[in-house]
Amino acid sequence: MPKTILLTGVTGFIAKRIALDLLNAGYSVRGSLRSLERRQEVRDALIPRLGEPARIDALSFVELDLMHDDGWQGAVDGADALVHTASPFPMVQPKDPQDLIRPAVQGTERALHAARNAGVHRVVMTSSVVAIEARDNPEGRAYTEDDWSDPEHPRSTAYYQSKTYAERAAWKIAAEHPELLLTTINPALVLGTPLDAQYGTSLELVERMLRGKDPMVPNIGFGVVDVADVSAMHIAALERPETAGERFIASASSVWLPELARYLAKSFADHRIPTRIAPRPVLGLLSLFDPTIRTILPALGTKPTFDTRKAKERLGIDFTPWQTATLRAAEAIVAA
């Protein structure tokens, strides 16, 4: 069983939870961050939740940048496996898609090449369902791990493209170097309990609704998964070498955003949470002023569903219901 794990992007919402679970499982974790100034933030998030607080001594840090070579080889030397989570995740899409695509792809290439050069063969990478579901699909058919997003599809935003190209790059490197044993985890919208208030973009949708920022909600659908389940999938894949060469979708179930809004409104009656469905013409008008709304217009009226039998059967995952994951996220935001 691997003992020392290089975990990239350790300040991220998902990565912090993976770090916690790895430490509690007895691993040593070498976490990468863009600036070592955030070391204490990570330590403070993990220490209260460790089964044995002394396990924090098994956590160390390295400074890495997705866009620069400096430090990558030294970071992976002596590690037993690589868990690569680092990738940009904005709420608002950039004007230039390459602002997302370049760091996602180049960071993945740097991480995997450094691992190969150091003789580190086991790699688990965080991808996304956005690398799967931006494509034409027969109505009622659930997406599977065999599906790939089309970067030219109308729903394929810069973020979709960045995750698709980055995962494609990873599989290309793995094909060229069969000694690299790659598994990817492809989560839907990740909710659940953050370990601190630095949860970034992941919970912004719930936060936006709790604050009543929008008078209505768009009729879009998406998969939801709890961060604890996503972490468990990474570690299960890491510990099961037979999962090499496989992708695994992480999604408890899919939900319409108005349904999620009604659930939040019922659970937080003291918050003015919008539940009315926004008409398409209204969203078209608002999108002229709000780039966040502009990015979701192609997804109106669609709710992708996902076949997650592989994760359940091969990784032993019993997914947390979307309602629980949503409530956990909302409670953490309200308490922050």
Side-chain angles (χ1 to χ4, degrees):
M1 183 175 75
K3 294 296 184 184
T4 300
I5 311 301
L6 173 62
L7 174 62
T8 66
V10 71
T11 57
F13 173 48
I14 295 173
K16 277 179 182 159
R17 180 59 192 244
I18 295 174
L20 174 69
D21 292 342
L22 284 171
L23 290 170
N24 277 330
Y27 291 87
S28 294
V29 176
R30 188 181 300 162
S32 85
L33 1 71
R34 290 184 62 187
S35 170
L36 291 177
E37 293 179 358
R38 296 187 68 182
R39 286 176 294 184
Q40 196 58 44
E41 169 198 319
V42 178
R43 289 172 58 88
D44 290 344
L46 300 182
I47 290 172
R49 296 167 176 84
L50 288 171
E52 300 176 12
R55 288 291 302 147
I56 198 65
D57 293 337
L59 173 66
S60 60
F61 298 96
V62 289
E63 190 171 82
L64 296 174
D65 190 310
L66 296 174
M67 296 293 287
H68 298 284
D69 291 334
D70 296 349
W72 278 95
Q73 203 56 60
V76 78
D77 283 343
D80 296 287
L82 165 68
V83 176
H84 180 52
T85 77
S87 188
F89 181 17
M91 188 71 170
V92 178
Q93 302 299 306
K95 291 182 180 179
D96 182 359
Q98 289 300 322
D99 289 345
L100 284 183
I101 295 170
R102 273 194 301 266
V105 173
Q106 292 183 20
T108 295
E109 292 173 340
R110 283 186 172 87
L112 268 68
H113 283 308
R116 183 184 67 85
N117 291 338
V120 175
H121 297 156
R122 192 70 180 103
V123 180
V124 178
M125 175 178 165
T126 312
S127 185
S128 172
V129 293
V130 304
I132 288 175
E133 53 96 357
R135 54 175 292 161
D136 292 333
N137 194 47
E139 185 175 355
R141 175 186 173 273
Y143 291 96
T144 75
E145 288 85 355
D146 292 330
D147 292 314
W148 280 93
S149 287
D150 175 2
E152 302 302 319
H153 194 275
R155 290 203 311 276
S156 194
T157 64
Y159 177 62
Y160 278 61
Q161 292 169 357
S162 74
K163 299 301 284 189
T164 303
Y165 287 133
E167 191 186 344
R168 287 284 198 189
W171 287 116
K172 181 175 184 292
I173 293 169
E176 294 170 348
H177 303 281
E179 70 273 19
L180 280 177
L181 305 177
L182 173 66
T183 304
T184 64
I185 308 299
N186 297 67
L189 176 66
V190 184
L191 299 180
T193 304
L195 299 189
D196 60 12
Q198 307 302 318
Y199 44 75
T201 304
S202 295
L203 305 189
E204 276 194 31
L205 172 64
V206 175
E207 186 175 38
R208 184 172 178 134
M209 298 180 75
L210 286 168
R211 292 181 176 175
K213 183 173 181 180
D214 307 298
M216 294 176 282
V217 292
N219 192 36
I220 59 173
F222 41 80
V224 173
V225 64
D226 194 287
V227 66
D229 296 337
V230 177
S231 175
M233 289 177 67
H234 282 75
I235 296 173
L238 189 67
E239 294 177 344
R240 302 181 188 194
E242 67 271 17
T243 65
E246 302 281 358
R247 310 167 86 198
F248 291 91
I249 293 173
S251 179
S253 58
S254 296
V255 60
W256 289 104
L257 182 56
E259 181 183 2
L260 187 147
R262 290 191 295 271
Y263 178 74
L264 282 176
K266 183 178 178 180
S267 302
F268 296 88
D270 56 336
H271 285 65
R272 299 184 64 182
I273 297 172
T275 57
R276 291 178 57 203
I277 297 176
R280 185 181 289 266
V282 171
L283 289 172
L285 179 62
L286 291 175
S287 71
L288 299 176
F289 310 98
D290 190 332
T292 302
I293 294 176
R294 193 178 311 137
T295 63
I296 59 130
L297 288 180
L300 287 177
T302 66
K303 184 182 75 169
T305 58
F306 304 98
D307 184 341
T308 58
R309 284 177 293 179
K310 251 176 82 170
K312 295 172 182 175
E313 295 170 2
R314 302 278 300 278
L315 299 180
I317 301 299
D318 184 13
F319 286 107
T320 303
W322 72 262
Q323 295 92 335
T324 304
T326 302
L327 186 61
R328 287 172 176 172
E331 288 176 340
I333 291 168
V334 170

